[in-house]
Structure formats: C-alpha cells, structure tokens
Amino acid sequence: MIVFRSVLFNALFYLNLIAQMIVMTPAYFLLPRKKAYVIAKNWARSNHWLFDKVVGTTFEIQGLENIPADGRYIFAPKHQSFWDAYALLPWLDDPFYILKRELTWIPLFGWYLKKQRMVPVDRSARGKVMAAVMQRTKDEMNSGRQLIIYPEGTRRPPGAPPEYKYGIARLYRDLQVPVVPVVMHPGLFWPRRKFIRYPGHFKVRILPAIGPGMDPDAFLAHLVEVMETASDRLLVETAGANPNLPLPPTAEQRLAELKAHAAA
C-alpha cells in the first residue's frame, strides 16, 4: 500500500506542478511580482493536501513567534528532501533564494524564478561576479525580503553528521540581519533520491533568531551547536511518535549514539 500511495502521490505531485504552471502562467506574469507569489504559495499548500490525503503524512510548525517582525532576515532550515525546498513558502512574506544559475535556464520554471527576482550564481565564479551576487542579495534584503539558505548547502539524510558551510557566516557578517535557524526531519518521510513516501507526522521547529553582530566564526559555531542540539532532540521525538517508520541508517546510528550518551 505504501508503494501504491507513493507512486500515486509522485504522479499527482508532478501533474499538479505542470497543470498549475500552465493554467496559472497568464495570471502569474500579469500580476505584480509580490502578488504573483500567492500562486507559488498556493501550489505549496496543494502539495501539503496531497501529502496528507494520498500518503497520510502531516506536519505542524512550532515557533512561528520566533520569526522577526522586521521582514529582513536569513531563514536557515535543515535541508533533507525536496519537500523543504518549497514547503514553508506560505509562512514567509516575500522570500528569495540564491540558486545555481542553471535553474533559470529551464523553460517556464526559470521564468517563474526570474519573475521573483531570485539571485542566480555561477558556483565556479569568483571576484567581481560574486561581489555582484552579494550586491543583488543586499538589494533584495533591503527591500524587506527574506533570504532562504540551507546552512549545509545540500540535502543531508536525517541524523547524518553535520557539514555546515562557511557561506552562511559570510552572509551573516555582510548582511547584518538576524538568522532564524529551523530544524525538521521531512527526510524520514520523503527520502532524498527515492520515490517512496512514508505516512506519519512530523514537526517543523523554528528556533529563536540569532541577532547580528557576532564574530562570524563564533556565529557559525553557535549556529551549529544550536541547530544540531535541537535537531537531535527532534529526531528522538519524531522517531518515538512514528514507531512503525523505517529509519535510514544515518538516523538509526544517531539515535543509538544519543541513547548511549544518555545512558553514560
């Protein structure tokens, strides 16, 4: 039944994406940029409905009160699956990403990204090109937007050893805005590079913002400690609340380490 529901969900997920991009494209490009964002946010909501009704997976968000009232901040979530690439858009006012430029070359999808003024970057670039990317990022941030960036840079399986990149420390230093850490384990239900989807319930936990002004190295060390401590706690909670959920090896190993540490 899980395999059947997974196949059905994946088919409906991509059909939903294609249908919405075709049907809503005229409205999307006629509306002002920020109003057009409602279309992408409603697409995210429709995916949540599909995940619930087809697979049987639900989630809740804790800590929304930790989002700064001033719209200028860096939103820094854990990244485990494609789910967290879009899932939290409805709860953010006007977010943007720094993303690889190749995504903007995709027909239609790339046009959607350009409409929302995402910041493309050539990952092999240096010098003036990167300076231009930083200036674009500052300009978007100064207009009251929120930068979404994954501190580990790429998707990591639940429970995997942390591999935080220094890039977020540079952004924290240069942008001088709060960083909002976010921990969650959607990768237990929507594993990366697999078509299978598992039913259950998980939490997205938004942690208190880290204010600007820290030394970048001290900030990064603090961010890692805060996020990994909260992530471990949430992993234990999620596994306990979903006893029939098959865990990936990284999660099983991390849970065993935490159990041994608690018993010591």
Side-chain angles (χ1 to χ4, degrees):
M1 200 63 184
I2 288 178
V3 173
F4 171 74
R5 289 188 175 194
S6 298
V7 172
L8 180 60
F9 172 78
N10 287 327
L12 292 174
F13 176 84
Y14 288 107
L15 284 173
N16 182 40
L17 173 62
I18 294 168
Q20 292 222 28
M21 290 186 74
I22 292 174
V23 173
M24 301 306 296
T25 287
Y28 183 82
F29 287 103
L30 287 173
L31 286 170
R33 183 198 64 77
K34 190 173 180 180
K35 288 186 177 180
Y37 222 144
V38 172
I39 293 173
K41 293 180 178 183
N42 285 338
W43 169 73
R45 291 187 182 97
S46 67
N47 290 330
H48 297 330
W49 185 88
L50 286 173
F51 209 18
D52 177 8
K53 302 306 179 184
V54 178
V55 181
T57 309
T58 58
F59 70 95
E60 62 182 288
I61 301 179
Q62 299 176 335
L64 286 169
E65 68 278 4
N66 291 323
I67 293 179
D70 179 356
R72 299 168 63 253
Y73 57 86
I74 298 172
F75 198 70
K78 278 280 190 178
H79 190 22
Q80 296 182 350
S81 79
F82 186 61
W83 184 89
D84 47 70
Y86 69 82
L88 301 181
L89 291 179
W91 287 272
L92 302 178
D93 179 45
D94 191 14
F96 72 102
Y97 296 84
I98 299 174
L99 44 78
K100 57 183 180 181
R101 61 175 182 171
E102 288 80 3
L103 291 175
T104 64
W105 300 344
I106 301 173
L108 200 57
F109 179 72
W111 306 339
Y112 270 65
L113 297 178
K114 289 179 180 179
K115 168 87 172 185
Q116 291 303 326
R117 299 204 308 260
M118 304 302 176
V119 180
V121 61
D122 178 356
R123 291 185 175 181
S124 64
R126 297 290 185 272
K128 292 183 178 179
V129 174
M130 293 308 298
V133 168
M134 179 55 69
Q135 187 57 54
R136 275 283 313 277
T137 302
K138 288 181 178 179
D139 292 342
E140 296 299 333
M141 186 72 70
N142 289 336
S143 69
R145 304 186 70 184
Q146 308 84 48
L147 171 63
I148 300 177
I149 187 168
Y150 304 106
E152 293 177 275
T154 188
R155 289 176 297 174
R156 302 278 294 157
E163 290 187 0
Y164 288 68
K165 309 301 183 186
Y166 198 76
I168 190 168
R170 294 192 184 98
L171 287 165
Y172 169 81
R173 175 196 64 198
D174 293 344
L175 295 174
Q176 289 293 301
V177 295
V179 171
V180 181
V182 183
V183 296
M184 51 188 167
H185 292 292
L188 294 173
F189 304 86
W190 183 325
R192 63 176 191 156
R193 301 171 187 165
K194 293 183 180 180
F195 84 94
I196 203 75
R197 306 287 178 260
Y198 295 109
H201 181 78
F202 65 95
K203 298 175 182 177
V204 175
R205 190 160 289 162
I206 302 173
L207 306 177
I210 302 172
M214 293 179 66
D215 172 81
D217 292 333
F219 158 77
L220 185 59
H222 178 63
L223 179 70
V224 172
E225 179 182 4
V226 166
M227 289 190 70
E228 290 306 303
T229 299
S231 182
D232 284 343
R233 186 178 298 117
L234 192 55
L235 180 61
V236 172
E237 291 179 24
T238 307
N242 298 273
N244 297 320
L245 182 68
L247 300 175
T250 50
E252 288 186 341
Q253 181 177 348
R254 185 57 185 157
L255 287 169
E257 292 170 352
L258 293 170
K259 184 177 180 180
H261 180 73

